[in-house]
Amino acid sequence: MNPDLENILLSKTVNPILRRIVQRIDRYCPEDGSLLINSLRIFLGEDLELCDRCRRLCEGLAIPFYELGSRALHVDKDFMRKRFIEDKYGEAWFKGFALMMRGIGKYGIRIPFTPAGPFEVVWNFTYKCNLRCKHCYEDAGRRRPELSTEEAKKVIDVFSEIAYVGLPALSFSGGEPLVREDFFEVASYAKGKIPYISIASNGILITKEVAAKLKRCGVEYVEVSIDGASAKTHDWFRGVSGAFERAIEGVRNCVKEGIDTCIASVIQRENLSELEEILELAEELGVRFMHFNYIPTGRAKAYVELDLTPRERLKVLETIGGKIVNLYLKAKEEELEKGESSVKVDRYFSTCPQYACVVKDLAQRFGERFTVAAHYGAKKGVENVAHFLGGCGAGRLYIALEPNGDIKPCVFFPTNAETVLGNILRDDFEKIWDTDPLLWKLRSREDLKTYTVNGKEVGCGSCPEKYICGGCRARAYSYFNGDVTAPDIGCIRNESLWRKVMELYNLKVYA
């Protein structure tokens, strides 16, 4: 069914019923705790004792509801059991589930889906930085007011109570988070209230001692920026000589500590030729790989010429996607032979929303139904709910926080009066999440725009994949002077529009 029509039918027929059901089971029992969580635990096979009222609601309403929902969405129940019950990050998954259910209770089911609060907050913890990167969206390094240590802890207190559920995941970014002397104090405090803590770092401060401290304070995932396969390329882009060697050493130190580690690369015109070598480097180091979309915001606005053409971006996504599809096929073959697989599929990610479409198309060449939910996951079963998860999650699945506490839809949006939604310590976060017009504009795919170029319609609005992808809204904002509903011209489907925009920028149009 066409998702536009599906949204209309959901709002008129199904959602009123769903909202009433969820509101009935969304209760907190003084004896048992959250019925949402407890009923899911029972649905997934746990043996829990509940009070009479909770047991009746669980058996008579919650369990049948979950059974029907999992069948309708073709969600793999074994996958859910492994993630929620057996996985060490199970608490984060349960919080995410509760936010999803409360989202249904609040807003009903929409495509793409909006939970009652973000699954993740990316916190630009400081404006300070020890590098001078050409693409920095934060324009880090300039002195500006930041939250104090005690204010930062108050922020975490707010996060821990989001939608009366609490935040599943918090990622420290920057600037360079490790430059702040109180990072470990704040991160340790966060770990006591939020189940999954990660950090995005340039890596050059991650000595053996720092890696050990990251492990001790509960950081689960470290993402280190590596923007070239050579020191020459990386150091040029990052603005400091010697940055490459120290970053690589930082990666190795994290791996030695047993921390889940990833190298992240902003692929642009000057390092595009090194992509394969960067991927080989990730394999050699034994870490994951994350491709970051080049977005002309912050300092990158002065280097628009570094942005990839739509064809170059497609090639990047096909290269990365080919690797993840091969891992998927290998895992499937091993499952058929042995009944289970030890192959880790979720090794190659991209912040580019088109990644889901590219992976889906690559898998179809092998007769497979497999895709990724942008960079949120690459798991078996995601292909059945890809349009539900919906690609670009700015202001919908995740949200950004500035070092001074200002709230934005995404770190890649510039900071201005249009994009700052409020302040986490001064304003009601839940009210912002529920009512802010910019957030709801980002969440709606029906309002995405279409243009006519050379007699042909182009743009995200007319794209058949808009509910799986949706285009990067930050790129739309940057290239179309603040219009978040404009097309993402980085997509191959919008190549003719990209050519027109490049002419406006007086930039050479590459083949």
Side-chain angles (χ1 to χ4, degrees):
M1 182 185 294
N2 181 293
D4 289 343
L5 178 59
E6 197 169 350
N7 270 335
I8 295 171
L9 291 175
L10 284 170
S11 65
K12 299 294 184 183
T13 58
V14 178
N15 277 337
I17 299 170
L18 286 179
R19 292 179 70 180
R20 283 198 295 271
I21 292 173
V22 173
Q23 287 164 7
R24 284 199 65 193
I25 60 178
D26 182 14
R27 64 185 299 267
Y28 185 85
C29 174
E31 294 180 41
D32 303 324
S34 169
L35 180 60
L36 276 177
I37 300 296
N38 288 335
S39 57
L40 179 65
R41 289 185 181 278
I42 292 172
F43 172 69
L44 294 177
E46 283 197 354
D47 185 18
L48 298 180
E49 290 189 9
L50 302 178
C51 70
D52 288 344
R53 186 183 180 195
C54 285
R55 180 174 49 78
R56 287 195 301 271
L57 282 170
C58 181
E59 294 175 355
L61 190 60
I63 299 299
F65 178 66
Y66 297 154
E67 194 68 55
L68 183 64
S70 62
R71 288 179 182 177
L73 294 172
H74 306 286
V75 175
D76 188 320
K77 195 172 177 180
D78 288 335
F79 163 75
M80 289 181 65
R81 186 179 295 110
K82 288 177 182 177
R83 289 291 149 194
F84 286 79
I85 305 296
E86 300 171 16
D87 196 292
K88 68 176 181 177
Y89 307 129
E91 185 185 352
W93 283 89
F94 274 113
K95 285 182 180 291
F97 168 81
L99 289 172
M100 181 188 75
M101 292 296 290
R102 296 208 80 206
I104 294 174
K106 276 188 169 187
Y107 324 122
I109 290 182
R110 280 188 52 81
I111 301 171
F113 176 70
T114 300
F119 291 153
E120 179 185 27
V121 170
V122 177
W123 186 357
N124 290 337
F125 192 53
T126 181
Y127 295 114
K128 301 172 186 175
C129 192
N130 45 9
L131 297 183
R132 188 69 181 169
C133 307
K134 287 181 168 55
H135 70 300
C136 183
Y137 55 76
E138 192 65 277
D139 194 11
R142 294 190 296 115
R143 283 188 172 274
R144 284 163 279 179
E146 299 181 2
L147 299 175
S148 67
T149 303
E150 291 310 309
E151 287 173 328
K153 290 180 179 179
K154 288 178 183 177
V155 167
I156 291 162
D157 292 339
V158 173
F159 288 159
S160 69
E161 297 176 358
I162 282 177
Y164 302 99
V165 172
L167 183 68
L170 174 64
S171 177
F172 289 94
S173 188
E176 171 52 49
L178 293 174
V179 168
R180 269 190 65 150
E181 294 180 358
D182 62 353
F183 170 78
F184 289 102
E185 180 181 349
V186 175
S188 296
Y189 186 80
K191 184 59 180 177
K193 293 176 176 277
I194 299 167
Y196 189 86
I197 305 296
S198 64
I199 178 175
S201 169
N202 60 40
I204 68 174
L205 295 178
I206 305 180
T207 61
K208 291 179 180 179
E209 293 74 22
V210 168
K213 287 179 72 175
L214 288 169
K215 179 78 170 181
R216 285 198 302 272
C217 80
V219 171
E220 305 282 0
Y221 172 87
V222 176
E223 188 175 272
V224 176
S225 298
I226 301 292
D227 288 306
S230 65
K232 180 181 177 182
T233 304
H234 177 89
D235 292 357
W236 169 81
F237 194 58
R238 291 277 158 179
V240 173
S241 179
F244 179 77
E245 297 300 334
R246 292 174 68 183
I248 293 295
E249 187 61 27
V251 172
R252 290 196 172 104
N253 290 334
C254 290
V255 172
K256 287 176 184 175
E257 285 295 330
I259 302 172
D260 186 10
T261 308
C262 176
I263 62 172
S265 302
V266 179
I267 302 300
Q268 33 77 23
R269 296 197 61 82
E270 294 297 325
N271 66 2
L272 177 61
S273 63
E274 297 183 17
L275 174 61
E276 290 283 2
E277 293 175 80
I278 296 172
L279 293 172
E280 289 172 6
L281 179 61
E283 292 177 14
E284 176 194 323
L285 293 168
V287 299
R288 305 190 201 204
F289 173 81
M290 171 73 83
H291 158 241
F292 270 84
N293 223 356
Y294 189 88
I295 300 174
T297 189
R299 281 204 288 270
K301 195 78 174 176
Y303 300 96
V304 178
E305 69 277 6
L306 291 179
D307 198 4
L308 300 179
T309 70
R311 290 183 184 276
E312 288 170 337
R313 182 171 281 100
L314 177 61
K315 182 63 176 177
V316 169
L317 297 178
E318 287 180 335
T319 300
I320 303 166
K323 287 187 172 291
I324 207 167
V325 169
N326 285 337
L327 287 174
Y328 169 78
L329 294 172
K330 185 177 179 181
K332 182 179 179 180
E333 183 180 354
E334 196 171 286
E335 280 182 2
L336 290 172
E337 290 180 1
K338 303 177 182 178
E340 60 180 5
S341 173
S342 60
V343 177
K344 293 182 178 180
V345 176
D346 52 344
R347 306 296 291 173
Y348 300 93
F349 303 93
S350 174
T351 63
C352 183
Q354 291 88 2
Y355 187 45
C357 307
V358 170
V359 171
K360 184 186 74 169
D361 291 344
L362 289 172
Q364 285 176 348
R365 297 176 191 177
F366 295 93
E368 296 288 343
R369 291 183 68 247
F370 172 74
T371 190
V372 295
H375 55 295
Y376 297 105
K379 305 290 186 184
K380 186 178 178 181
V382 167
E383 64 274 10
N384 298 313
V385 292
H387 70 302
F388 185 69
L389 294 172
C392 180
R396 184 175 58 86
L397 300 181
Y398 103 101
I399 207 156
L401 192 72
E402 288 292 283
N404 65 353
D406 284 347
I407 304 163
K408 296 196 306 184
C410 171
V411 295
F412 293 111
F413 277 66
T415 302
N416 57 42
E418 291 180 337
T419 62
V420 173
L421 313 174
N423 188 279
I424 192 74
L425 295 182
R426 295 194 299 268
D427 301 299
D428 184 335
F429 180 83
E430 192 154 353
K431 183 178 179 181
I432 291 170
W433 186 262
D434 286 344
T435 65
D436 188 87
L438 177 57
L439 292 184
W440 283 106
K441 188 178 286 189
L442 289 165
R443 295 165 184 171
S444 174
R445 299 291 159 81
E446 291 87 351
D447 298 329
L448 295 180
K449 289 181 177 175
T450 297
Y451 289 77
T452 300
V453 179
N454 300 327
K456 182 181 177 182
E457 280 194 346
V458 294
C460 299
S462 60
C463 180
E465 304 286 18
K466 68 181 178 182
Y467 289 95
I468 294 176
C469 167
C472 174
R473 296 299 93 213
R475 285 178 56 83
Y477 187 99
S478 294
Y479 275 113
F480 288 85
N481 298 316
D483 186 353
V484 297
T485 64
D488 177 355
I489 60 170
C491 177
I492 192 66
R493 297 173 187 265
N494 297 330
E495 186 176 26
S496 59
L497 185 58
W498 168 80
R499 291 177 178 274
K500 291 288 185 183
V501 173
M502 290 302 101
E503 290 173 8
L504 292 175
Y505 275 86
N506 293 317
L507 293 175
K508 180 180 178 181
V509 176
Y510 295 89

